[in-house]
Amino acid sequence: MRFSAQIPLLLLAVATPLAAQQRHNSDAPVNVSADSAELQDKQHRSVLSGHVVIQQAEMTLNAARVTLALTGEVVGGNPQISRVDAAGGVLVRRPGQTARSQYAIYDLNRRVITMIGAVTLTQGGNTVNGGRLTINLDTGRAVMDGSSVAGGTASGSGGDTGGVVTQGGGRVTGTFSVPKRN
């Protein structure tokens, strides 16, 4: 089943459980680990590479390479981070939700994560693919569109996997299974 004029219904079906999620604590400390790190004081940034893990409260971001934009301020001995730019096999996990992409930007001031490039959002038994995903961590609202980087595709293994949506040509299209009824 192709969704063109019905894309708002598709997003509603996938995004409805997001509203029920608890608000992300974006004031929690950010813990980082990587195979290597380079601090670039004059540019106010730190470059992490190799199996990078960024953790804040119940959210974890994994990537091959991450650049942390620093404010230049140090509070309690810790540098202050304003932005996280991730590249290479980006994976963001939150309770009940997993998102994958080629690139991601986490704007800590706006509390928004933007993921681009073959994006896949999995929640429950539903999967949505597209070119760009924006997640508002305050509201839990996720918006997927087919713009940006084209070429993300996915396939499901049957009715038990929930919905599968495929993005191609700058559009979000989809197929969702219907639960069996007695």
Side-chain angles (χ1 to χ4, degrees):
M1 176 186 217
R2 293 187 58 85
F3 291 92
S4 54
Q6 297 178 343
I7 289 176
L9 295 175
L10 168 74
L11 292 176
L12 179 63
V14 174
T16 300
L18 288 175
Q21 287 188 7
Q22 64 182 349
R23 182 178 172 181
H24 174 72
N25 181 4
S26 56
D27 293 327
V30 175
N31 298 308
V32 302
S33 66
D35 292 342
S36 67
E38 176 184 346
L39 180 59
Q40 300 172 351
D41 276 335
K42 289 183 181 180
Q43 293 84 10
H44 296 290
R45 68 180 174 211
S46 180
V47 179
L48 308 168
S49 60
H51 305 97
V52 181
V53 178
I54 307 287
Q55 188 168 22
Q56 183 182 42
E58 294 182 350
M59 181 178 69
T60 303
L61 182 148
N62 299 81
R65 181 180 168 96
V66 168
T67 300
L68 303 175
L70 308 173
T71 65
E73 298 177 33
V74 177
V75 177
N78 297 314
Q80 301 298 293
I81 300 170
S82 61
R83 180 173 155 150
V84 175
D85 291 18
V90 179
L91 171 66
V92 175
R93 288 186 313 258
R94 299 179 60 212
Q97 183 182 72
T98 301
R100 297 177 186 274
S101 67
Q102 295 170 351
Y103 307 98
I105 299 166
Y106 175 18
D107 184 331
L108 281 86
N109 296 323
R110 292 181 42 227
R111 296 173 174 91
V112 171
I113 297 175
T114 304
M115 302 181 77
I116 57 173
V119 182
T120 301
L121 172 64
T122 305
Q123 184 172 306
N126 296 315
T127 300
V128 177
N129 297 317
R132 179 177 57 193
L133 171 67
T134 304
I135 303 170
N136 182 314
L137 295 173
D138 282 342
T139 65
R141 181 174 184 226
V143 177
M144 176 79 74
D145 65 45
S147 66
S148 189
V149 181
T153 60
S155 60
S157 59
D160 292 338
T161 62
V164 175
V165 176
T166 304
Q167 179 266 336
R171 294 174 49 92
V172 178
T173 61
T175 303
F176 284 83
S177 62
V178 176
K180 294 181 181 181
R181 298 181 186 127
N182 293 331

